[in-house]
Amino acid sequence: MTDHIAALMHADPAFAAGGGSFSSGLERLAADGWAASQDELVERMVEAVSARWNPHDRVYLVRALTLPGPERVTLDLDVEASTPGQEARSASRRAGSALLATWARLGLAEAVAYRDVVRATPGCGHLPIAQAVVFGARGLSVRDAESLSCWAVLGGYASSAVRLGVIGHRGAQEALLTAHARLSPLLERPVADDDEPWTFTPLHDIAIERHALSDMKLFAS
């Protein structure tokens, strides 16, 4: 039961870990008409999980949970190399660093130690590795860690859509329910030892890069 209580703390939207600053390209997608309705939002959420988080971030998260610190650095640099787009890489590092900084301020020794590593190692600090550091130190199971990481993606899209005025709060809950129902079979399959990380979300990747050129924007990505 203790693990689940710890997990709920991370899932609490009021817990300040920096995630609310990023829309993962949704702001640009909405402006360009690719996420202008509830149905389109669901499609973007499903794409982000099925073709980016599940085959890429999830694989790195699960592997980093079971590796010692030095080997996590190697994985972190792999995330840097395999993430397309400068802005996407920067957003992932900023989100990861924000999570580490929050837990370092709360006195989590592992977060303090890895934050120091990140500061000394260019290209490190990506979100899935930072999540592995924090979730592992907090004693979360692999399953809870995966669930939290996936929820951060889905919840981030839904809350960003509300802030952008694409949908209302009820629409966000409906979108989450629909996306989860479609993704549930995928999420039930555990990460295998021989899974090779990959990602293919060109619509999202282009939107994140274009977002950096916007004159006025609500989100950092």
Side-chain angles (χ1 to χ4, degrees):
M1 183 171 65
T2 303
D3 285 0
H4 295 303
I5 293 174
L8 289 170
M9 173 184 284
H10 289 275
D12 184 356
F15 185 76
S21 301
F22 306 95
S23 78
S24 300
L26 185 67
E27 185 169 10
R28 187 71 257 167
L29 288 168
D32 291 343
W34 290 101
S37 68
Q38 183 174 315
D39 288 343
E40 289 174 345
L41 172 64
V42 170
E43 292 303 318
R44 303 294 83 82
M45 293 164 77
V46 170
E47 291 167 357
V49 171
S50 63
R52 184 173 60 191
W53 177 84
N54 184 65
H56 187 265
D57 288 17
R58 183 187 185 188
V59 175
Y60 281 111
L61 168 68
V62 171
R63 290 182 180 170
L65 279 168
T66 60
L67 290 176
E71 294 185 47
R72 282 175 171 168
V73 175
T74 300
L75 282 184
D76 214 340
L77 294 173
D78 284 347
V79 177
E80 173 78 4
S82 61
T83 301
Q86 177 180 340
E87 293 302 318
R89 291 191 292 271
S90 175
S92 178
R93 291 194 305 269
R94 290 165 68 184
S97 295
L99 179 64
L100 291 171
T102 296
W103 281 98
R105 288 193 295 270
L106 291 172
L108 189 67
E110 291 84 353
V112 173
Y114 200 74
R115 182 189 59 180
D116 292 342
V117 170
V118 169
R119 288 174 173 174
T121 313
C124 277
H126 285 277
L127 182 58
I129 309 303
Q131 289 173 332
V133 170
V134 172
F135 296 165
R138 294 279 294 157
L140 271 62
S141 67
V142 171
R143 189 59 176 165
D144 279 346
E146 289 178 315
S147 297
L148 279 170
S149 181
C150 185
W151 168 251
V153 176
L154 294 174
Y157 272 89
S159 62
S160 296
V162 172
R163 290 176 63 185
L164 291 167
V166 174
I167 53 175
H169 291 282
R170 177 177 174 178
Q173 296 302 318
E174 291 172 346
L176 285 166
L177 286 169
T178 303
H180 179 259
R182 289 177 57 180
L183 292 166
S184 184
L186 182 71
L187 301 176
E188 286 302 318
R189 175 190 174 275
V191 173
D193 292 340
D194 60 350
D195 279 350
E196 290 294 333
W198 62 271
T199 176
F200 187 71
T201 51
L203 192 64
H204 300 252
D205 300 334
I206 293 169
I208 292 175
E209 298 306 306
R210 292 189 62 225
H211 182 272
L213 305 176
S214 302
D215 292 329
M216 297 186 65
K217 47 195 175 185
L218 181 62
F219 295 93
S221 75

